[in-house]
Amino acid sequence: MFQETIKESLSFDDVLLRPQYSEISSRSEVKILQELEGCGRFSLPIISSPMDTITEASMAIAMSDHGGLGIIHRYNTIEKQVDMAMCVMQCQCTTAAAIGVSDDFVDRATALYDAGVRLLCIDVAHGHHSKVRYAIEVLRKTFGSSVHIMAGNVATLEAFNDLADWGADSIRVGIGGGSICSTRIQTGHGVPTFQSILECSNSNRDVALIADGGIRTSGDIVKAYAAGADFVMLGSLLSGTIESPGESFLGEDGSKYKTYRGMASKEAQRSWRGRFASVEGVSHFVPLKGRVEEVLSELEIGIRSGLSYTGAKNIPQLQAKARFIRQTNSGQIESSTHIRGRQ
Ligand code: IMP
């Protein structure tokens, strides 16, 4: 084995954005509109993750109503996924759905395409893989440029460039950072999501970078955009909302909860394939949060405010002007609320 000096990798909490001179007098002056090849513009560049406790038709419609995008998960029969896609299509928005890379992936992609889906997301844990290359090639050969191909996930610049060269239009960046993810514990592999975004943003390929996994706050979203992400993908921040799939239930403490689970958790694998192999995720109960619109509105306010601290009117300006600084452990403690006493 040849080992260069071990590279330091930074997480969202290791950095802060330096506040800069601003002439923005109101958050409404900030426009966070972003374009996705062949799918138009999104006034809120947030995508809900294709997970079975995050995105089915209701979430995709709610995301679209608020200017974002929802990708319908693939952990169901082709017929069910097509039905969900048809529900979303009536609301006149981009309809997006996930597919895998084995078994029925061509049949699934064709059925979704025939139903009007124009964004197909090749949704696998390790995207820098020959099977992903093959899947992109097949989709391009079959649908030409009439479909937007999102692929991933990747963690490194080599992988990002390869997927772009294989024909992806957008790439999900982040391995091992998800709130429900145990990939790093199970396999020893991964890269902090912030570091992956920084690294992949050095690519000279013209494809969109979707930051995915480990985003917990609007502050993390602003850091992700500033580091080079065009869109962010969210799981946990949207979990427990009324529009997320699954019934709510009463917990022992009398509060209402919903389930949020990793797609490689034992529980999820059992329900979508009847058995489990390598477990790389966990399943959790999360408190019921209310409507997704409320969550997105709050995030949007934080994002707009974040851009104004850099004096940026839009995301490209933020990316051009942003200056990150490192913070120490004591800086991290100071950065989270640290009042002593009782609420
Ligand atoms: P979160 O926003 O931090 O909750 O992360 C959500 C992301 O975690 C998803 O968009 C996927 O990329 C990733 N993910 C989903 N399920 C699993 C899993 O079981 N193991 C590892 N990563 C997962």
Side-chain angles (χ1 to χ4, degrees):
M1 184 202 73
F2 169 73
Q3 174 69 57
E4 316 160 32
T5 312
I6 294 182
K7 249 173 82 176
E8 192 178 45
S9 285
L10 301 175
S11 305
F12 288 112
D13 280 346
D14 294 322
V15 296
L16 283 171
L17 285 156
R18 271 174 72 97
Q20 298 187 45
Y21 172 70
S22 177
E23 291 180 349
I24 293 161
S25 44
S26 146
R27 281 192 296 260
S28 61
E29 282 177 40
V30 174
K31 300 278 178 271
I32 50 176
L33 199 84
Q34 290 281 88
E35 198 163 332
L36 203 53
E37 176 69 30
C39 304
R41 292 168 162 205
F42 295 85
S43 58
L44 184 64
I46 294 183
I47 302 175
S48 64
S49 181
M51 300 167 73
D52 72 351
T53 50
I54 298 295
T55 314
E56 291 187 347
S58 306
M59 178 64 81
I61 293 168
M63 290 302 295
S64 162
D65 285 349
H66 210 82
L69 174 71
I71 300 182
I72 297 168
H73 73 87
R74 65 184 172 90
Y75 300 95
N76 46 23
T77 61
I78 295 177
E79 293 70 28
K80 268 198 183 146
Q81 197 184 15
V82 165
D83 279 352
M84 289 179 203
M86 305 274 257
C87 285
V88 178
M89 233 157 285
Q90 284 142 1
C91 82
Q92 308 240 315
C93 51
T94 302
T95 311
I99 57 171
V101 289
S102 31
D103 304 330
D104 64 357
F105 93 89
V106 180
D107 295 342
R108 190 175 282 269
T110 307
L112 289 165
Y113 185 87
D114 289 345
V117 169
R118 289 296 177 267
L119 187 155
L120 290 170
C121 172
I122 302 172
D123 170 41
V124 297
H126 181 28
H128 199 195
H129 198 285
S130 55
K131 287 188 179 182
V132 170
R133 179 183 194 151
Y134 174 71
I136 296 175
E137 281 168 6
V138 170
L139 295 184
R140 270 288 168 250
K141 214 180 267 170
T142 315
F143 307 114
S145 56
S146 64
V147 78
H148 178 109
I149 302 177
M150 183 180 287
N153 279 32
V154 302
T156 64
L157 180 60
E158 305 91 86
F160 190 90
N161 284 342
D162 277 350
L163 266 61
D165 294 345
W166 298 342
D169 296 300
S170 59
I171 300 172
R172 290 166 68 184
V173 172
I175 290 189
S179 59
I180 35 49
C181 172
S182 56
T183 300
R184 294 182 191 163
I185 299 164
Q186 174 81 352
T187 72
H189 283 69
V191 176
T193 302
F194 177 78
Q195 185 70 33
S196 288
I197 303 166
L198 269 188
E199 185 174 320
C200 295
S201 71
N202 288 317
S203 171
N204 55 6
R205 313 305 201 266
D206 188 21
V207 298
L209 191 165
I210 320 287
D212 178 24
I215 293 169
R216 304 150 301 173
T217 59
S218 52
D220 286 349
I221 296 178
V222 174
K223 289 175 188 176
Y225 292 147
D230 298 296
F231 285 74
V232 293
M233 181 173 278
L234 305 181
S236 73
L237 273 172
L238 304 173
S239 67
T241 53
I242 289 166
E243 292 85 349
S244 67
E247 296 300 316
S248 64
F249 53 88
L250 220 50
E252 281 171 7
D253 61 354
S255 308
K256 284 192 168 173
Y257 291 87
K258 273 189 148 183
T259 298
Y260 175 47
R261 63 190 188 185
M263 292 318 306
S265 65
K266 237 182 229 177
E267 294 79 355
Q269 290 191 51
R270 257 201 216 110
S271 71
W272 64 269
R273 61 172 163 187
R275 62 186 171 85
F276 59 88
S278 178
V279 174
E280 293 182 27
V282 295
S283 177
H284 257 267
F285 302 146
V286 294
L288 192 66
K289 276 182 197 156
R291 304 205 78 83
V292 74
E293 182 189 344
E294 291 154 27
V295 175
L296 292 177
S297 299
E298 215 170 289
L299 291 176
E300 185 169 356
I301 291 170
I303 296 166
R304 287 176 184 280
S305 193
L307 264 71
S308 79
Y309 270 95
T310 288
K313 287 194 170 157
N314 50 48
I315 291 174
Q317 270 188 21
L318 172 73
Q319 292 171 343
K321 294 182 72 171
R323 292 291 171 269
F324 282 105
I325 53 167
R326 279 292 303 272
Q327 64 174 340
T328 59
N329 286 346
S330 23
Q332 285 178 22
I333 294 166
E334 186 184 271
S335 292
S336 39
T337 49
H338 49 272
I339 181 79
R340 287 175 204 271
R342 290 162 56 146
Q343 254 188 343

